[in-house]
Amino acid sequence: MDPALLRERELFKKRAIATPVVEKRIKKEPQSHDGPGKSKSKPSSQSKSSQKAPTDTFSYKTMQGSSQYKFGVLAKVVKHMKQRHLDGDCHPLTFEEILDETNQLDLGSNMKRWLVTEALTSNPKIHVSPEGRYSFKPPFNIKDKRGLLRLLQNYDQRGLGGIYLEDVHESLPNADKCIKILGNQILTLIRPIDKRKVLFYNDASCEFEIEDEFKKLWRSIPVDGLDENKVDEYLEKQGIVSMQDNGPKKLNPAPKRKRNQKKNRNFKRHNDHMGDIFEDYTDK
C-alpha cells in the first residue's frame, strides 16, 4: 500500500477521534454566553436569586397570615372566658384547661409562649392570678341585682353620672332580667350622639310634684334659639338678676415683693498702693 495513503488514513482517524470532543465543547459554550471563565458565577447568582425570591414572598404571606391567626386564637380565648363568667362559672383556669375547653391543644410552642408571656397578661379583659390562673375581668365587679343597685347609688352620690348598659351586660349574668326586676329604681336613657344606653339611679327622695300653673308658665316662655347672653338681657329687663356673679369670688393673691438686688456691700480692699490704676465697678 502506498505510504501516502496510509498517512492520510491515520490523519483521518485522528480527526475523527478529535471531532466528538469539539462537539461537546460547542454545546457548553451557548449556556455561558460570556466565556468559560464566567459560566460558573452566573448560574450561581441565578440560583441564589431564585432561592431568595420565593422565601421573601413566603415570609410576607406567612407573617400576614400568622398575625391574623394569632389574634383569632386570642379572641377565641377571651370570648370563651367571658361566656364562662356570664354563665356563673367564675373559678379561674390554668392555661392548659383553657386550651382544652377551647379545643386548641394542638397549638405550637411559639403560639403558646406568645399567649402566656404577652397576649393574655396584657389583655385588659383577662385577670392573671399570682398562681398563674386565668379568669375574665369584667368592667364592674357585680354579681346580682343588689350589687348593680349599690353601684348605681355610689355613682349617683359621687356625681359620676351613669353606667353604659353594654358594660353591665359584660359584668352581670342575666343583666336584662335584673334591670327589669329593679324597675323604677333605674332610669335608662339613650345618648343622642352615639345611641348608647346609659343606666342611672332613680333617687325617689328627689321626686316632688309641681303644680300645673308653674308648668304652664315655664312652657309659655320661648327660649328656642336664644343664647346665654340674650337670656341674661331678658332677665335684667324683667328685673331678675342673673346668678352668674353671685358665686364666691376668688381673692387675688398678694403680689410678691421683689427683693432689692443691689445692696451696699463692704469689700476688703487690697493693694492700696495701686489705687490710681484700679477702678471700682461695684456701683456700675
Side-chain angles (χ1 to χ4, degrees), residues 237-284:
K237 290 180 181 180
Q238 301 297 325
I240 303 174
V241 181
S242 60
M243 299 178 62
Q244 60 183 2
D245 296 332
N246 293 339
K249 295 182 179 180
K250 294 182 180 180
L251 298 176
N252 295 327
K256 296 181 180 180
R257 296 180 180 180
K258 296 183 179 179
R259 296 180 179 179
N260 294 327
Q261 295 179 355
K262 295 182 180 179
K263 292 183 178 180
N264 295 326
R265 297 180 180 179
N266 296 324
F267 294 97
K268 293 182 179 180
R269 295 183 180 182
H270 302 281
N271 299 327
D272 294 336
H273 63 282
M274 302 187 68
D276 56 344
I277 298 175
F278 293 121
E279 294 182 5
D280 190 3
Y281 290 93
T282 57
D283 297 334
K284 293 183 181 182

Side-chain angles (χ1 to χ4, degrees), residues 55-73:
T55 53
D56 292 339
T57 55
F58 178 76
S59 63
Y60 174 75
K61 291 180 180 179
T62 52
M63 180 182 67
Q64 192 175 19
S66 63
S67 62
Q68 295 178 357
Y69 174 67
K70 280 184 177 180
F71 291 106
V73 172

Side-chain angles (χ1 to χ4, degrees), residues 16-200:
I17 294 171
T19 299
V21 177
V22 173
E23 290 177 357
K24 288 181 181 180
R25 290 179 181 176
I26 292 172
K27 289 181 180 180
K28 289 182 179 181
E29 289 177 358
Q31 296 177 359
S32 62
H33 297 289
D34 293 330
K38 298 181 180 180
S39 60
K40 295 182 180 180
S41 61
K42 189 169 183 180
S44 62
S45 62
Q46 290 179 355
S47 62
K48 289 180 180 179
S49 62
S50 62
Q51 290 175 359
K52 288 182 179 180
T55 53
D56 292 339
T57 55
F58 178 76
S59 63
Y60 174 75
K61 291 180 180 179
T62 52
M63 180 182 67
Q64 192 175 19
S66 63
S67 62
Q68 295 178 357
Y69 174 67
K70 280 184 177 180
F71 291 106
V73 172
L74 177 61
K76 189 175 181 179
V77 171
V78 174
K79 185 178 179 180
H80 175 71
M81 299 299 289
K82 175 184 174 181
Q83 190 60 42
R84 287 183 68 255
H85 176 79
L86 295 179
D87 292 340
D89 193 3
C90 301
H91 70 277
L93 299 176
T94 62
F95 182 69
E96 295 297 333
E97 290 174 346
I98 292 174
L99 297 182
D100 186 14
E101 293 186 3
T102 55
N103 297 324
Q104 299 185 106
L105 290 173
D106 56 345
L107 295 179
S109 59
N110 293 331
M111 177 64 69
K112 292 180 180 180
R113 188 182 304 109
W114 176 74
L115 287 172
V116 173
T117 59
E118 298 181 17
L120 294 177
T121 55
S122 61
N123 194 290
K125 294 185 180 296
I126 299 297
H127 173 72
V128 184
S129 64
E131 295 80 11
R133 292 180 174 269
Y134 302 88
S135 59
F136 182 71
K137 186 177 180 181
F140 303 107
N141 188 15
I142 49 179
K143 299 180 180 180
D144 51 14
K145 59 182 180 180
R146 294 180 181 177
L148 175 60
L149 188 61
R150 285 194 299 267
L151 180 64
L152 292 174
Q153 289 175 349
N154 187 15
Y155 266 59
D156 181 68
Q157 293 173 1
R158 296 168 58 189
L160 300 177
I163 299 172
Y164 288 117
L165 179 61
E166 57 190 28
D167 292 340
V168 177
H169 281 158
E170 286 191 2
S171 306
L172 180 62
N174 302 320
D176 293 333
K177 183 178 180 181
C178 295
I179 294 172
K180 187 177 180 181
I181 293 173
L182 292 174
N184 295 330
Q185 300 183 56
I186 294 179
L187 292 177
T188 304
L189 300 179
I190 300 176
R191 292 180 51 173
I193 300 175
D194 50 9
K195 306 300 181 183
R196 298 174 70 181
K197 293 184 178 181
V198 186
L199 302 181
F200 293 88

Side-chain angles (χ1 to χ4, degrees), residues 194-257:
D194 50 9
K195 306 300 181 183
R196 298 174 70 181
K197 293 184 178 181
V198 186
L199 302 181
F200 293 88
Y201 173 66
N202 186 15
D203 192 356
S205 62
C206 297
E207 296 181 358
F208 57 92
E209 295 182 0
I210 300 175
E211 297 181 0
D212 294 337
E213 295 182 359
F214 290 103
K215 292 181 181 179
K216 291 178 181 179
L217 290 173
W218 178 266
R219 294 169 181 171
S220 63
I221 301 174
V223 292
D224 296 338
L226 298 178
D227 55 3
E228 294 182 358
N229 295 328
K230 292 183 179 180
V231 172
D232 292 338
E233 292 177 0
Y234 176 80
L235 293 175
E236 289 178 359
K237 290 180 181 180
Q238 301 297 325
I240 303 174
V241 181
S242 60
M243 299 178 62
Q244 60 183 2
D245 296 332
N246 293 339
K249 295 182 179 180
K250 294 182 180 180
L251 298 176
N252 295 327
K256 296 181 180 180
R257 296 180 180 180

